[in-house]
């Protein structure tokens, strides 16, 4: 698999106050493929953008976070959830990195990795300003069950 990008995935959690909170995880070395087109019906044209992201099984994740299923992620406490990431429908993923310098703490041994400092993203409008590279996850598949480590991956589709 050819890797051409890094991504930031935003996992959705519902807080005790019933408000949505998004927890970001950077993932390095993924395949990002975006197509843009149009759909036409009668006199109406509509932009149709699709995106496919493939995350290799052995991709480097921020802080060494481990992948767990969406169902298991829901059962975790907020403190436990900080050590994991998942893929959820209607969650968000963006190409590149969301964090700015003051929100990022580098790993002293590898300046390519590190952790996003504790700050839950509660304002979706902040995320939407990255509209060119920001998608809503509409489908995903876990293709890590069989194959070699070079071919195992998670596939994410969105618009």
């Amino acid at each position: 698999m050819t890797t051409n990008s890094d991504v930031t995935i935003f996992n959705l959690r519902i807080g005790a106050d019933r408000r949505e909170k998004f927890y970001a995880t950077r993932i390095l070395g993924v395949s990002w493929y975006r197509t843009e087109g149009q759909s036409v019906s009668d006199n109406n044209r509509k932009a149709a953008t699709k995106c496919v992201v493939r995350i290799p099984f052995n991709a480097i994740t921020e802080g060494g976070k481990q992948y767990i299923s969406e169902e298991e992620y829901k059962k975790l406490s907020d403190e436990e959830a900080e050590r994991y990431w998942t893929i959820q429908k209607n969650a968000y993923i963006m190409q590149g990195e969301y964090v700015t310098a003051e929100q990022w703490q580098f790993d002293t041994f590898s300046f390519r990795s590190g952790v996003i400092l504790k700050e839950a993203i509660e304002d979706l409008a902040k995320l939407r300003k990255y509209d060119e590279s920001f998608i809503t996850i509409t489908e995903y598949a876990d293709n890590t069950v069989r194959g070699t480590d070079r071919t195992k991956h998670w596939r994410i589709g969105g618009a």
Side-chain angles (χ1 to χ4, degrees), residues 96-158:
E97 60 184 55
Y98 163 73
V99 296
T100 58
E102 62 272 3
Q103 295 173 307
W104 182 255
Q105 179 179 346
F106 283 105
D107 180 346
T108 55
F109 295 105
S110 167
F111 285 104
R112 185 173 163 98
S113 61
V115 294
I116 296 172
L117 299 178
K118 282 186 170 189
E119 178 188 355
I121 297 112
E122 295 179 359
D123 186 3
L124 192 56
K126 273 187 187 178
L127 298 178
R128 279 286 177 201
K129 74 178 181 180
Y130 295 94
D131 202 40
E132 283 294 310
S133 60
F134 182 86
I135 63 169
T136 302
I137 298 171
T138 57
E139 62 180 337
Y140 65 91
D142 185 346
N143 298 321
T144 62
V145 177
R146 57 180 179 248
T148 66
D149 284 349
R150 292 179 53 95
T151 60
K152 292 180 182 179
H153 66 280
W154 293 277
R155 182 190 180 282
I156 298 172

Side-chain angles (χ1 to χ4, degrees), residues 69-103:
S69 69
E70 181 178 5
E71 295 79 25
E72 291 297 317
Y73 189 78
K74 288 178 186 176
K75 298 175 186 176
L76 299 176
S77 68
D78 287 345
E79 295 78 32
E80 292 171 325
E82 292 175 13
R83 297 189 306 264
Y84 299 95
W85 68 278
T86 192
I87 304 170
Q88 307 158 304
K89 286 185 181 180
N90 298 318
Y92 306 100
I93 190 168
M94 67 172 283
Q95 187 175 25
E97 60 184 55
Y98 163 73
V99 296
T100 58
E102 62 272 3
Q103 295 173 307

Side-chain angles (χ1 to χ4, degrees), residues 23-26 61-67 81-85:
Y23 292 89
T25 301
R26 264 186 47 180
T61 58
E62 167 213 338
K65 291 183 181 181
Q66 298 295 311
Y67 172 84
E82 292 175 13
R83 297 189 306 264
Y84 299 95
W85 68 278

